[in-house]
Amino acid sequence: MAANKIQRGSSGCLPEEMIREILLRLPPRHLLRCRTICKAWRRLATDDAFILDHHARQPAQPLLTVYPFVAPHINCLEAVDLRTNKRRMVARFVERAPRPFSNDAATNIAYNIYGAVVVHASCDGLLLLSFHETFFVCNPATRQGALLPLFRDGRGIAGFYRHAASAEYRVLYHQLRYRRVEGLHRKYYVFTLGSQQARNIELGTSSTAVGEGLAKGLAVSSKWPPVLLHGSLHWPPQQSQEGNILVFDTAAESFRWIAPPPTAVIQDENNDTRLSEMEGTLAMFYWEQDARISDLWFLEDYEEANWVCKHRVELPVKLVYEPLPFYPAIPYREGDMLVPEGSDTVLHYDKAGKLQGSFDSFVMGLRITPHMLKESLVLHEFLHTQKNGGASEWFSEVEFADGLPVTELPF
């Protein structure tokens, strides 16, 4: 029997499998428009399996925050397509009422660049963001979102992940608490999106040393996001963990350490250490200040913590460490790196150190984040749906930008 065909009046004689393949290749905003063409296309493009396949094919795009000085009450969130090195608008944030951070103009500008809009985490097309310390989660592709009034301070957010067994999206965070007998102590919580309160978790650890490290806290996910792999979150080596890689098993909710590569450096103000997922396993870059060379290590045997150095990356440009907080080189999934060159250009290198292109950073307020957006059209019941364009009903200061190139969007 011939392959199934969509109604002749809507798409001619193309087989359904071919139309499905074409629709899978479309960006989300174009796919949403195609759903309105006919009932047959809508049925195909709203199928749950199709939506998951579509998400899997979307490129993971690094996120940028932008503060255009020509519009002092607006901040923007952008994404970079590493295939074309083109920037596009994801959302903009409009300050409806003035909220100066300081009486000093220069301090206010610095805050708007580095602190007004913060990307705390990204997972399956969902972004955990804050704007002027209002925390929320959103899906830019579907224009869904919800406020997270539970959060007041992004310094405690450690990770954002999908719990495999329950399919819930959860946030791992920690806070310092005071008790009269114990004094200050740190507690860890898991917050499930859609719930009303967080759940305190017992610190199941593989050793006393791991527990002592957790009591000192973790690096914030906005700057050093963990990598979700094999159902566990992995953080790069840091001082509080005695230079080890901290692992959180999201099913057992327990912590342990993995030994880093033998020549790894600890993340601090002089060194930048990054974990990433490459070739289906954990990989590590690390840059020492003023260095242009980094070894790229792969965790070939996850159970035995056996690291193998596969690449030595040498960049032809000097890495910029100032003004802080400024990232010298951000590696992303599969080894693509974004490296600022001066104040007006960002270079794109692959994991072998070969230049793949560049894009202009023509505004002084552009900042590269270590997070990526992989768009998804999955709808979530715990988020509010935006019915119309313009400001969001669930947070009036958020406006989604429909993915247009930045050159087509006036501030």
Side-chain angles (χ1 to χ4, degrees), residues 189-389:
Y189 300 86
V190 167
F191 174 72
T192 300
L193 296 187
S195 64
Q196 299 300 313
Q197 60 183 10
R199 173 172 51 86
N200 177 221
I201 61 173
E202 297 294 331
L203 287 185
T205 62
S206 60
S207 69
T208 302
V210 174
E212 292 174 349
L214 289 171
K216 300 174 184 177
L218 293 173
V220 295
S221 65
S222 60
K223 297 180 181 179
W224 295 282
V227 173
L228 180 61
L229 186 67
H230 302 314
S232 296
L233 295 174
H234 303 74
W235 287 267
Q238 45 195 288
Q239 193 70 45
S240 65
Q241 308 305 315
E242 299 182 9
N244 292 289
I245 295 171
L246 181 68
V247 182
F248 175 66
D249 185 320
T250 61
E253 295 189 341
S254 61
F255 294 87
R256 61 187 176 91
W257 283 343
I258 289 180
T263 58
V265 295
I266 295 177
Q267 175 67 53
D268 57 26
E269 66 274 8
N270 297 314
N271 304 294
D272 196 66
T273 305
R274 300 281 168 180
L275 289 180
S276 183
E277 180 185 348
M278 299 184 200
E279 301 176 11
T281 189
L282 204 61
M284 178 182 287
F285 276 99
Y286 50 88
W287 302 95
E288 296 184 58
Q289 189 165 3
D290 298 326
R292 302 184 184 185
I293 298 176
S294 172
D295 290 334
L296 175 54
W297 292 82
F298 287 78
L299 186 58
E300 283 208 334
D301 190 327
Y302 187 83
E303 299 300 326
E304 298 295 329
N306 181 31
W307 292 90
V308 175
C309 182
K310 290 189 176 182
H311 299 279
R312 169 157 284 194
V313 183
E314 183 172 0
L315 299 179
V317 297
K318 183 177 180 180
L319 301 180
V320 179
Y321 278 79
E322 294 181 353
L324 294 174
F326 204 69
Y327 305 119
I330 299 293
Y332 297 97
R333 188 175 300 174
E334 301 309 328
D336 289 284
M337 290 177 288
L338 294 183
V339 182
E341 183 185 47
S343 60
D344 58 359
T345 304
V346 176
L347 305 176
H348 170 202
Y349 291 92
D350 64 15
K351 63 186 177 185
K354 183 178 179 181
L355 183 65
Q356 299 297 304
S358 64
F359 59 87
D360 293 331
S361 54
F362 52 84
V363 289
M364 291 292 291
L366 183 145
R367 187 182 184 211
I368 304 170
T369 81
H371 301 275
M372 305 187 85
L373 173 62
K374 188 177 175 69
E375 291 184 294
S376 171
L377 290 174
V378 174
L379 296 173
H380 298 282
E381 293 184 357
F382 54 80
L383 298 180
H384 304 296
T385 300
Q386 173 66 21
K387 298 178 182 178
N388 303 306

Side-chain angles (χ1 to χ4, degrees), residues 8 17 21 55 73 94 123 160 183 185 248 297 305 375 382:
R8 184 178 182 83
E17 290 79 2
E21 187 64 28
H55 168 60
H73 299 300
V94 182
C123 180
F160 179 35
H185 68 291
F248 175 66
W297 292 82
E375 291 184 294
F382 54 80

